Amino acid sequence: MRLINLSDNAGQIRVEFAGCNMRCPYCVHIKQPMAEYSIDDVLDFAKASESRDVYLGGAEPTLQKELLPLIEGLHASGKSILLKSNGMKPEVLDSALPFVKGFVIEIKAPLDDIPAIMELTGLSENRVLKYISLLRESLEIAKQKWMRIWIRVIPEFINAETIPRIIPDIEDASEVMLYQFMSNPDFDLPFKGHETPTPEWDEVRNLGEMLLEKVQKVRLVGEGGKLVLGK
C-alpha cells in the first residue's frame, strides 16, 4: 500500500493513503511524498497502539487493492474504523460496510452543477456525469452506518445560493462538516486567488445554520477553531 502518512495522536490512528482518481487543483495530497507499507506494517502499528479509533483517509483510500483486507484485519483487532471516500467506488464501500463504524464522504459542489464539479475535480464532462451517479450510489450505502458529509467551503462553489441545492443529497447524514478553505495549510493549495482562510468565519457559521434546518448536526472547522451546531 502507498501511504502519505501513518500516525497516532489524540486517540486516533490516521492512515493517509496516496493516489486518487481525481485531480482537484487545490489538493495537497497529489504532491506529497509517499512510502510503501504492507498490511502487516499497518496492522502491527495499530495493534501496538492503545487508540481504538482508526481513520482511513488521505487522497482516495478505495483505490488501494489491499484496503479491504486491511479493514477486516483492523476490525478483527477490535478497532473502530472510519473510511473517507470521494464516492467513486461504491462497490468498495459496500464491501467495507460490515467492518466499519461509518464513512466520511466529500461533497464538492451541488450535484446539478456539472461545470463546477469539472473545475473542482479535473474530470471531463463524461467522467463527472459518471462520478455523480456513483456518488449517489455511495451515499445510499454510507447512510446505512454513521455518515459525515465533508464540505470544503470554497466561496465560488459553496455559498448561500448553493447550499440549498446540496441539502437534498445530504439530509440523511449523521453530521455535516464545513471546512473553511485555506484555514489549514496541510489540507489546501491556493486556488481561485485564495491564499488565506476564506470565506469569513461568520459566513461559514451562517452556512452551518442554513444546513441545520435540514440536518441534525453541523461541525465547523477553521480559523475560528472547532464548533458544533446541533438541534
Side-chain angles (χ1 to χ4, degrees):
M1 296 181 295
R2 293 181 175 179
L3 301 187
I4 296 167
N5 190 37
L6 178 61
S7 62
D8 183 5
N9 54 67
Q12 184 185 68
I13 299 164
R14 294 183 68 89
V15 186
E16 306 281 354
F17 293 93
C20 191
N21 41 14
M22 293 182 174
R23 287 294 176 267
C24 305
Y26 48 81
C27 180
V28 299
H29 295 312
I30 59 176
K31 296 190 176 182
Q32 290 176 307
M34 65 186 76
E36 297 283 345
Y37 287 77
S38 69
I39 290 181
D40 287 341
D41 291 334
V42 180
L43 289 178
D44 289 346
F45 183 89
K47 289 174 182 177
S49 170
E50 294 183 0
S51 298
R52 183 169 182 267
D53 294 333
V54 179
Y55 177 80
L56 304 177
E60 182 50 41
T62 62
L63 295 181
Q64 302 288 327
K65 293 180 180 179
E66 302 296 334
L67 179 67
L68 291 174
L70 175 64
I71 288 174
E72 291 177 16
L74 289 168
H75 179 264
S77 65
K79 302 300 183 181
S80 177
I81 305 159
L82 279 181
L83 174 60
K84 176 182 173 288
S85 177
N86 60 24
M88 289 187 74
K89 293 279 189 179
E91 70 278 9
V92 177
L93 303 193
D94 191 49
S95 296
L97 197 61
F99 307 103
V100 301
K101 169 190 174 182
F103 298 93
V104 178
I105 308 292
E106 184 173 2
I107 300 288
K108 298 179 180 295
L111 300 190
D112 61 2
D113 194 338
I114 307 304
I117 297 175
M118 289 173 64
E119 185 174 1
L120 288 166
T121 62
L123 300 177
S124 68
E125 183 175 356
N126 285 340
R127 290 199 68 199
V128 165
L129 292 172
K130 181 65 174 176
Y131 155 64
I132 292 170
S133 175
L134 294 170
L135 175 57
R136 287 197 163 117
E137 187 177 343
S138 289
L139 290 169
E140 287 298 310
I141 294 167
K143 74 180 185 181
Q144 297 178 60
K145 291 289 184 79
W146 185 90
M147 178 176 69
R148 171 187 290 163
I149 298 297
W150 197 99
I151 301 176
R152 181 184 270 104
V153 185
I154 302 175
E156 288 81 1
F157 306 99
I158 304 297
N159 50 54
E161 188 275 326
T162 61
I163 283 289
R165 291 157 55 196
I166 293 174
I167 286 174
D169 288 301
I170 66 172
E171 56 188 347
D172 290 326
S174 306
E175 71 173 38
V176 177
M177 190 179 88
L178 295 180
Y179 162 72
Q180 184 187 28
F181 185 55
M182 294 299 299
S183 62
N184 186 334
D186 292 336
F187 287 174
D188 310 310
L189 296 172
F191 178 60
K192 304 289 284 187
H194 301 300
E195 297 186 357
T196 57
T198 187
E200 296 295 328
W201 182 247
D202 285 346
E203 175 62 17
V204 177
R205 179 159 186 162
N206 288 341
L207 296 178
E209 296 285 358
M210 290 180 64
L211 283 167
L212 202 59
E213 294 179 8
K214 294 293 185 178
V215 301
Q216 293 297 312
K217 181 188 291 187
V218 179
R219 187 179 301 271
L220 311 179
V221 177
E223 65 177 351
K226 297 180 179 180
L227 180 64
V228 177
L229 307 177
K231 292 182 178 179

